[in-house]
Amino acid sequence: MPIAVSILDLASIARGQTARQSFDNSVALARAAERSGYRRVWYAEHHNMKSIASSATSVLIGHVAAHTDSIRLGAGGIMLPNHSPLVIAEQFGTLETLYPGRIDLGLGRAPGSDQKTMYALRRDPASADSFPRDVLELQGYLTGNTRVPGVHAVPRAEGIVPLYILGSSLFGAQLAAHLGLPYAFASHFAPDALHEAVAVYRDTFQPSEQLAEPYVMAGVNVFAAEDHDAALEQKTVAYRARARMMIARGPAAGDFSDAEIDAFLASPNGYQLTNMTKYTAVGTATEVRAYLEDFASSIQADELITTHHASDITDRVRSVELTGEIMATREPVVQ
């Protein structure tokens, strides 16, 4: 059977574009995913980042759902310590009521922001400690088995809103295994603990009402094009832009040339930033499929969450199409 493929859409705001254009791009991307055989599209909660427009994650999910027909949509993820479980249950109960059978809820415990933004969110830094308890409280609201006597989420959808635990460390793996929930590892930007975390998850998994056996999802970056060199150029441009964005958030902010960015990424100081995108498939559809199948096989992944980074939306949509179409085929890859 072909491995399931899905998408994490970062709802990026390219230089010179507006948030509205980003939302239009997200609709175009989801429509491409829908017609190309992807299982789901997820959006991540980030705050105070000028290049990412998915801060109001549930609102964006609803917007894209209204402009698509059948593909599953959800959060990958909601940073639960930023919210009360009741409010998230109400939001996703509303989404599932409006778009039955199409809504997912992935949960993370990271702030999705910096220290100052945490304060602006009125977030207590210690709130991450209650993440396991908050997940259970949220699950109770969504299933009608409230853990807070007399308090119920309204509306509560008739259908199921499946939960997923997101993570980039052993903590998330252990929690997902203990609760019997699917586990999605953020290997598209935090690759180091991938194999160890997946092993811990599988070894300690306990079946639940939602899930009888372990289910592993892993993030991977993709640049697919008709021509290998074109895909490689898309990768170069996108990762330079990413480096500029990351540098601009630190004390070394400045206007750097392409050559300076390339030299930094190749230097020991740039290693951490370069290593973040360790798992990247780039090339023609056939080359991308070979990479994704090898990557999935290395951890026995049940599903891949692909992130398509081409700066131009036309290239990004084409990458989605090429990857989805070839991953849906059963014919072996010709090396």
Side-chain angles (χ1 to χ4, degrees):
M1 289 288 292
I3 187 169
V5 288
S6 298
I7 292 175
L8 173 66
D9 177 7
L10 296 177
S12 57
I13 305 174
R15 181 178 294 185
Q17 291 192 336
T18 65
R20 176 63 210 216
Q21 288 172 305
S22 171
F23 298 145
D24 291 344
N25 291 344
S26 288
V27 169
L29 210 67
R31 286 175 172 168
E34 191 169 65
R35 64 177 177 261
S36 302
Y38 287 79
R39 180 163 294 182
R40 67 187 97 241
V41 181
W42 280 358
Y43 307 90
E45 177 188 348
H46 292 278
H47 299 283
N48 195 31
M49 297 184 70
K50 294 180 180 180
S51 61
I52 296 179
S54 53
S55 53
T57 315
S58 59
V59 178
L60 179 56
I61 292 168
H63 174 70
V64 177
H67 289 83
T68 50
D69 297 318
S70 59
I71 193 164
R72 295 193 67 88
L73 301 163
I78 290 292
M79 301 299 106
L80 191 55
N82 292 341
H83 314 274
S84 75
L86 177 61
V87 168
I88 298 303
E90 291 168 341
Q91 291 177 4
F92 281 79
T94 298
L95 286 168
E96 175 63 24
T97 299
L98 291 170
Y99 307 101
R102 297 183 58 196
I103 302 301
D104 299 330
L105 178 49
L107 301 168
R109 68 170 182 146
S113 59
D114 55 30
Q115 291 284 339
K116 290 182 179 179
T117 308
M118 286 173 62
Y119 171 79
L121 288 166
R122 301 298 188 267
R123 183 185 190 273
D124 181 351
S127 59
D129 297 339
S130 65
F131 180 64
R133 184 172 66 250
D134 289 346
V135 172
L136 290 173
E137 183 180 335
L138 171 59
Q139 188 177 53
Y141 292 135
L142 290 171
T143 59
N145 301 303
T146 181
R147 290 173 172 259
V148 183
V151 178
H152 304 274
V154 181
R156 185 177 76 82
E158 294 182 6
I160 296 172
V161 179
L163 299 183
Y164 302 77
I165 299 297
L166 280 57
S168 58
S169 68
L170 300 188
F171 178 88
Q174 293 166 336
L175 179 63
H178 177 72
L179 298 180
L181 295 175
Y183 180 52
F185 192 91
S187 38
H188 62 293
F189 77 90
D192 290 345
L194 171 63
H195 291 81
E196 185 180 5
V198 169
V200 167
Y201 171 68
R202 291 192 183 280
D203 290 345
T204 60
F205 180 83
Q206 301 177 32
S208 67
E209 289 187 13
Q210 179 176 327
L211 193 64
E213 297 179 349
Y215 192 85
V216 172
M217 309 160 80
V220 57
N221 305 291
V222 176
F223 296 87
E226 276 86 356
D227 177 76
H228 175 87
D229 290 342
L232 189 60
E233 177 64 15
Q234 291 171 19
K235 173 191 170 185
T236 300
V237 170
Y239 283 174
R240 281 173 180 161
R242 184 175 181 276
R244 284 190 176 93
M245 178 191 72
M246 299 295 286
I247 293 172
R249 295 171 62 189
D255 188 13
F256 297 99
S257 69
D258 288 348
E260 288 172 326
I261 291 292
D262 291 345
F264 171 75
L265 291 174
S267 72
N269 289 335
Y271 170 77
Q272 183 176 3
L273 195 56
T274 301
N275 185 59
M276 289 172 70
T277 54
K278 172 182 177 180
Y279 294 121
T280 298
V282 56
T284 64
T286 300
E287 291 171 323
V288 164
R289 182 182 172 191
Y291 184 96
L292 295 182
E293 288 184 339
D294 285 346
F295 173 71
S297 178
S298 73
I299 53 169
Q300 295 301 299
D302 299 289
E303 184 173 341
L304 297 180
I305 308 294
T306 62
T307 303
H308 300 258
H309 292 288
S311 299
D312 184 84
I313 183 57
T314 302
D315 292 334
R316 201 150 70 242
V317 166
R318 189 59 184 142
S319 181
V320 165
E321 292 172 338
L322 289 169
T323 303
E325 290 162 6
I326 200 162
M327 291 299 290
T329 64
R330 295 174 181 268
E331 292 76 14
V333 172
V334 178
Q335 299 289 349

